[in-house]
Amino acid sequence: VQLQASGGGLVQAGGSLRLSCACVTSGRAFRSYTVGWFRQAPGKERIFVAGMKSNNGNGIYAESVKGRFTISRDNAKNTVNLQMNSLRPEDTAVYYCVADPSVISSNLASQTAYAYWGQGTQVTVSS
């Protein structure tokens, strides 16, 4: 499985960015994968941002991004997206897309639940 994230960049506070992650799977259809996004700010631990189960249910979000970020997936295009609105300087981080076919709901926000990670895309929000 290969994940390629894109869409990062520099934006002013209050602005928007849309991250995309193209997924190449092998043997198992993309629609069977749970997908998500994590981020790591400079000098800080990597944390969960958003996730979505394979049944295209509702997205699950970290409290810090609820109401501002929206995760979506297109199973026909094998992509997962993260629409980020009302960006804040504290959203500055490297964002990673993740995927795994065997994530249980209780582990959705756990890094160790995901076997497959993209290379990361930098998001910088200026004040």
Side-chain angles (χ1 to χ4, degrees):
V1 176
Q2 295 181 334
L3 306 174
Q4 180 72 40
S6 62
L10 173 64
V11 65
Q12 288 188 333
S16 299
L17 279 175
R18 183 178 176 85
L19 305 184
S20 292
C21 182
C23 307
V24 178
T25 60
S26 176
R28 188 189 293 255
F30 171 73
R31 62 179 179 272
S32 68
Y33 284 74
T34 294
V35 294
W37 294 88
F38 285 75
R39 70 186 184 188
Q40 186 167 21
K44 296 187 177 181
E45 294 183 351
R46 192 158 53 188
I47 60 172
F48 172 78
V49 175
M52 179 175 280
K53 289 285 286 179
S54 59
N55 59 3
N56 261 350
N58 294 330
I60 306 299
Y61 300 92
E63 284 296 325
S64 61
V65 306
K66 273 185 181 178
R68 300 187 298 123
F69 290 13
T70 303
I71 187 172
S72 62
R73 65 189 298 164
D74 186 334
N75 289 335
K77 297 181 179 179
N78 285 20
T79 57
V80 54
N81 304 301
L82 186 68
Q83 178 66 42
M84 305 185 295
N85 299 327
S86 301
L87 282 162
R88 305 167 180 169
E90 54 264 39
D91 294 319
T92 294
V94 176
Y95 284 71
Y96 299 90
C97 59
V98 296
D100 195 282
S102 306
V103 180
I104 59 175
S105 296
S106 59
N107 283 349
L108 196 71
S110 172
Q111 295 185 54
T112 58
Y114 298 91
Y116 305 106
W117 291 70
Q119 86 288 2
T121 184
Q122 176 70 47
V123 171
T124 303
V125 184
S126 63
S127 56

